[in-house]
Amino acid sequence: MKNSNIILINKTVMTLFFILFLINTSLFSQTTNDDRIKALPKLITEAANSGAYQKAANLKKEKELREQIKIALAANNYQKASELQKEISGLSDSKSSENPAIVSLEKELKEALKNEDYKKASDLKKQIESLKNGGSIQKQTSDSATLEPEFINQVVYFNKLENKITPLENGTAEMKVSSMSAPGFAKATSYYIIKGEHSNVNLNANNNPSFIAKIAPALDPKDYLYMVKYEIKGKKEKDRYVEAFTTKAGMFGGGSTEKNEKQRIPISFTKIKDGLYEIKPESTLGNGEYAIVFIANKMFSFSIN
């Protein structure tokens, strides 16, 4: 008899929770929980496309909670369903208090990404995160003072999306001369060589990279920096080669020395400030091994793979 009373009380409690849930949820209204779940993906997309990222996040959270409500109802766990519905109500309250400054910054962020202005996008993202964490907007520096190599005569990779720099493989190339001769004629080709088939700095699929070079303020970067694509040579141990000069000589004197530029990649320079330049290839880079060469044989190497 005692057990029967306990069962009856439990059923009564469950029924009360179910009634409370019906009163406090959309099941009591014309829109059912299932209908709302079906409608939410479209609403999430619309909010994201309009730049209302906080609203989109709230709608996504609502969808997750409603799916949990569906599971709770299937298990007759009305208490759990009621608790979840209260969380959804809390989300509705937060929508009305959405920070207008965040909304404005998120719209600017979307526009910056559309225009591929990744530095501005990174600055805006930091400001948004600061506001969401209860902080204030921090004014970002307009120049790239913190985004430059530590030492002069250095080149680094510039990740615009993440607004950070990464050192390249830095090495001094060895010089090797390969010669050939025939009666009355001689030819010698000089190579710059970096040991190893691949660089230890892989830019992955970024075939339109940017770099930052730091040189003496009085120098013209076009006279001291250029980009090359290595040629891989070697039978057992493969190394990276760049043809430097070709010297020709005849039996009766005379001769010539020419720079070999067939491995060079056209690049552009954008001045950031005195002695600091952004470097970009003028066309997309295919897979392979590359380097930015400073003066003669100082190589800043990287891979595109």
Side-chain angles (χ1 to χ4, degrees):
M1 183 68 179
K2 187 176 182 180
N3 290 337
S4 297
N5 289 335
I6 292 173
I7 293 171
L8 181 60
I9 291 170
N10 287 339
K11 286 185 176 179
T12 303
V13 170
M14 289 175 63
T15 302
L16 287 172
F17 273 121
F18 181 56
I19 292 170
L20 289 171
F21 177 72
L22 287 174
I23 293 172
N24 290 284
T25 68
S26 59
L27 289 178
F28 195 69
S29 67
Q30 294 181 350
T31 304
T32 67
N33 193 58
D34 286 348
D35 290 340
R36 181 65 175 171
I37 290 173
K38 291 177 182 177
L40 280 168
K42 182 180 179 182
L43 296 174
I44 293 168
T45 301
E46 289 174 352
N49 289 341
S50 66
Y53 300 115
Q54 186 60 49
K55 181 179 179 181
N58 285 341
L59 290 169
K60 183 179 178 183
K61 181 65 176 177
E62 180 187 344
K63 183 174 181 292
E64 292 171 356
L65 291 171
R66 288 190 178 279
E67 287 170 345
Q68 292 178 46
I69 287 174
K70 187 174 181 179
I71 295 170
L73 289 174
N76 295 324
N77 190 344
Y78 304 118
Q79 180 180 2
K80 177 68 174 177
S82 182
E83 291 170 355
L84 291 167
Q85 180 58 37
K86 288 180 181 178
E87 286 191 53
I88 292 175
S89 298
L91 289 175
S92 299
D93 293 339
S94 68
K95 290 175 190 174
S96 60
S97 60
E98 189 171 322
N99 190 328
I102 293 176
V103 174
S104 176
L105 289 171
E106 285 174 337
K107 288 182 179 179
E108 288 187 51
L109 173 61
K110 184 180 177 183
E111 191 66 23
L113 291 171
K114 182 180 177 181
N115 296 330
E116 298 184 358
D117 188 348
Y118 298 120
K119 185 180 184 307
K120 182 178 180 181
S122 178
D123 291 344
L124 290 166
K125 186 177 179 182
K126 289 177 183 177
Q127 293 178 44
I128 291 167
E129 289 173 352
S130 176
L131 287 174
K132 286 183 177 179
N133 292 327
S136 57
I137 296 177
Q138 301 294 321
K139 185 178 180 181
Q140 304 296 320
T141 56
S142 58
D143 59 34
S144 299
T146 58
L147 294 176
E148 64 181 74
E150 184 177 2
F151 304 106
I152 201 165
N153 300 338
Q154 298 285 316
V155 182
V156 294
Y157 168 57
F158 178 29
N159 186 328
K160 286 191 171 184
L161 187 60
E162 298 181 12
N163 197 36
K164 68 178 185 180
I165 57 177
T166 302
L168 299 174
E169 179 187 358
N170 182 359
T172 300
E174 298 177 7
M175 178 68 79
K176 181 179 179 179
V177 179
S178 175
S179 61
M180 61 173 291
S181 62
F185 177 80
K187 176 182 176 181
T189 301
S190 302
Y191 296 87
Y192 294 133
I193 304 172
I194 293 291
K195 293 293 184 181
E197 185 177 359
H198 300 291
S199 171
N200 57 14
V201 177
N202 192 341
L203 304 187
N204 297 317
N206 186 0
N207 57 4
N208 190 24
S210 294
F211 305 87
I212 293 179
K214 186 175 184 179
I215 62 175
L219 301 181
D220 184 342
K222 295 177 183 178
D223 295 334
Y224 295 89
L225 292 158
Y226 59 94
M227 183 182 289
V228 296
K229 183 175 183 180
Y230 287 110
E231 183 178 357
I232 309 302
K233 291 186 176 184
K235 294 181 179 179
K236 292 184 179 180
E237 295 182 359
K238 296 183 181 296
D239 297 316
R240 289 163 281 172
Y241 283 66
V242 177
E243 287 190 15
F245 305 95
T246 298
T247 301
K248 300 177 182 178
M251 178 183 295
F252 302 103
S256 64
T257 299
E258 299 175 350
K259 287 184 179 180
N260 290 335
E261 298 184 350
K262 65 180 182 180
Q263 290 175 254
R264 294 199 182 189
I265 307 294
I267 55 177
S268 62
F269 296 86
T270 301
K271 185 176 181 179
I272 299 171
K273 62 180 184 179
D274 287 343
L276 199 67
Y277 296 86
E278 181 182 356
I279 302 172
K280 291 191 69 174
E282 293 182 353
S283 58
T284 56
L285 303 179
N287 287 351
E289 301 295 318
Y290 297 84
I292 295 176
V293 185
F294 180 72
I295 301 182
N297 61 342
K298 190 171 185 179
M299 320 290 273
F300 296 90
S301 305
F302 60 96
S303 295
I304 300 288
N305 186 7

